[in-house]
Amino acid sequence: MHLDRLQRRALDAMGIQVWESVAAPAADVPAVEPAGAPAPAGTDARQAPVAARSGAARQAAGAWEALEAEVRHCTRCALAASRTQTVFGVGNRDADWMVIGEAPGAEEDRQGEPFVGRAGQLLNQMLRAVGQSREQVYIANILKCRPPNNRDPKPEEIAACRDYLQRQIELVSPQLLLAVGRIAAQALLQTDAPVGRLRGRVHRLAPGGLPLVVTYHPAYLLRSPAQKRKAWEDLRLARSLLR
Ligand code: URA
């Protein structure tokens, strides 16, 4: 594996040392795990012939605008009353990687952008370690509004927000999803299994559907740096899935 300067710096920040060999063995890719939820539909505008692309791109831009406005005015659950603003998502709408976190925290609620606090800085480093920048990927959360005092999202809040994320996934049409943390992993896979059991393998949102890799939440990694090595393994697994 060849590492460039930015990746090396990101790995240092994650506290991970990597020995490079000239002919490094390929990462072991564990078996693919099918899971419950339906695969997102959606056409891949990136594959469209040039003549058709401008129409498709215009349609996609309209769909993004409509979805963003719908989220901005959402009152589907009680979090609408306590939020400063909704936190829709950020990044490349044509991304290969889509990162899904839990919910906005205080800083995200203030700035209107996901993962802008300390956890966000570590997330940026984690992405950089596998050659992805924050601008290259698309980042969204399970919830678009901050739960007060950073409490866990309630099942009814997750249910109310589910369709927004589903539509974001369809619009981005990424090659893979990276679920960071327990809430994102459990909500996407509709399970109550702990992250320790979900990470380290490839799930699919439906048999033959979008690949999903689970890893630890960067806020957890800030509290438990010994787990960063496992997060690094998960990120390498995710990277190995890209076409
Ligand atoms: N944690 C999350 O899961 N999402 C954010 O946007 C910020 C912190």
Side-chain angles (χ1 to χ4, degrees):
M1 175 184 44
H2 175 71
L3 298 170
D4 67 22
R5 192 173 47 83
L6 279 178
Q7 283 175 291
R8 207 174 276 288
R9 212 185 291 158
L11 282 164
D12 282 348
M14 287 181 71
I16 288 165
Q17 258 188 333
V18 176
W19 279 271
E20 279 186 67
S21 66
V22 176
D28 283 344
V29 181
V32 163
E33 285 285 320
T43 52
D44 190 345
R46 287 165 293 187
Q47 309 285 319
V50 174
R53 204 177 289 156
S54 57
R58 261 200 309 276
Q59 226 180 348
W64 275 110
E65 220 173 282
L67 179 56
E68 205 160 355
E70 205 177 320
V71 168
R72 197 179 314 122
H73 297 110
C74 180
T75 54
R76 287 184 187 179
C77 80
L79 296 180
S82 56
R83 71 184 178 220
T84 304
Q85 60 189 311
T86 54
V87 177
F88 181 70
V90 74
N92 176 7
R93 292 177 170 182
D94 217 7
D96 291 334
W97 290 55
M98 185 158 171
V99 179
I100 300 176
E102 176 179 330
E107 200 48 38
E108 289 78 17
D109 174 72
R110 209 171 61 76
Q111 295 191 35
E113 183 171 326
F115 284 102
V116 288
R118 275 188 73 218
Q121 283 168 21
L122 179 56
L123 177 65
N124 295 347
Q125 299 279 15
M126 290 163 68
L127 291 169
R128 218 168 287 145
V130 282
Q132 297 289 312
S133 69
R134 183 178 174 90
E135 294 71 33
Q136 258 175 302
V137 305
Y138 191 84
I139 305 175
N141 283 312
I142 295 290
L143 292 193
K144 309 302 184 219
C145 298
R146 180 192 180 208
N149 305 314
N150 298 335
R151 65 158 168 75
D152 282 355
K154 295 180 180 172
E156 62 269 26
E157 294 162 354
I158 293 175
C161 239
R162 182 177 294 281
D163 141 80
Y164 294 142
L165 180 61
Q166 181 68 28
R167 284 156 67 190
Q168 284 175 303
I169 295 171
E170 286 172 13
L171 282 168
V172 175
S173 187
Q175 284 188 36
L176 71 95
L177 299 178
L178 180 71
V180 298
R182 176 178 64 86
I183 299 287
Q186 292 181 344
L188 287 164
L189 294 169
Q190 300 185 349
T191 174
D192 56 8
V195 173
R197 285 215 358 246
L198 297 172
R199 61 157 295 278
R201 59 200 166 102
V202 182
H203 304 264
R204 294 209 180 251
L205 284 193
L210 191 57
L212 181 151
V213 171
V214 171
T215 195
Y216 293 109
H217 194 286
Y220 169 76
L221 294 174
L222 288 169
R223 298 191 301 274
S224 309
Q227 304 290 0
K228 285 181 179 174
R229 160 68 58 182
K230 289 184 190 160
W232 165 234
E233 286 165 13
D234 297 332
L235 289 163
R236 290 180 66 203
L237 170 61
R239 185 178 54 185
S240 75
L241 298 172
L242 286 188
R243 287 193 291 266

